[in-house]
Amino acid sequence: MSRICELTGKGRQVGNNVSHANNKTKRVFLPNLQNVTLLSEKLDRSFKFRVSTQGLRSVEHNGGLDNWLLKTKDEKLSANALKVKRELKKAVAAS
């Protein structure tokens, strides 16, 4: 399972461990991913996502899952999130 946030696309970063003697060795910085269940108000159901904590804060800041999905570009979203976004667009168009 890849360590990529399903809502923001945030993934791993590569950097260096630097010792006291200034020796540099490669290392990987992984995002803090959490399994969360987010509620869609317009679809009136919940969805499970693997989201970074920063992504979760962004979703809450934008007013919930519905607003976040409608504002975010498709390139950043996972296949699962795109499926929810399509359902959401249909529900918005129908109402």
Side-chain angles (χ1 to χ4, degrees), residues 19-31:
S19 69
H20 186 66
N22 206 27
N23 297 328
K24 295 174 183 72
T25 56
K26 285 291 185 184
R27 64 154 297 172
V28 175
F29 294 94
L30 296 174

Side-chain angles (χ1 to χ4, degrees), residues 3-86:
R3 303 272 308 171
I4 296 176
C5 176
E6 291 189 74
L7 297 181
T8 61
K10 185 182 182 107
R12 69 185 200 139
Q13 290 185 318
V14 178
N16 288 314
N17 278 332
V18 181
S19 69
H20 186 66
N22 206 27
N23 297 328
K24 295 174 183 72
T25 56
K26 285 291 185 184
R27 64 154 297 172
V28 175
F29 294 94
L30 296 174
N32 183 7
L33 296 179
Q34 306 294 325
N35 293 317
V36 294
T37 303
L38 298 172
L39 181 66
S40 171
E41 294 169 0
K42 292 180 179 144
L43 297 175
D44 198 31
R45 55 182 282 227
S46 58
F47 298 94
K48 287 187 177 184
F49 291 107
R50 194 154 189 239
V51 184
S52 64
T53 52
Q54 175 249 332
L56 195 56
R57 292 182 70 206
S58 298
V59 169
E60 292 299 320
H61 179 77
N62 280 288
L65 180 64
D66 297 342
N67 290 339
W68 172 260
L69 289 174
L70 293 174
K71 288 181 183 179
T72 307
K73 293 180 182 176
D74 290 352
E75 297 88 49
K76 283 189 171 185
L77 299 173
S78 69
N80 188 20
L82 279 172
K83 191 170 128 184
V84 175
K85 184 175 181 176
R86 280 193 294 273

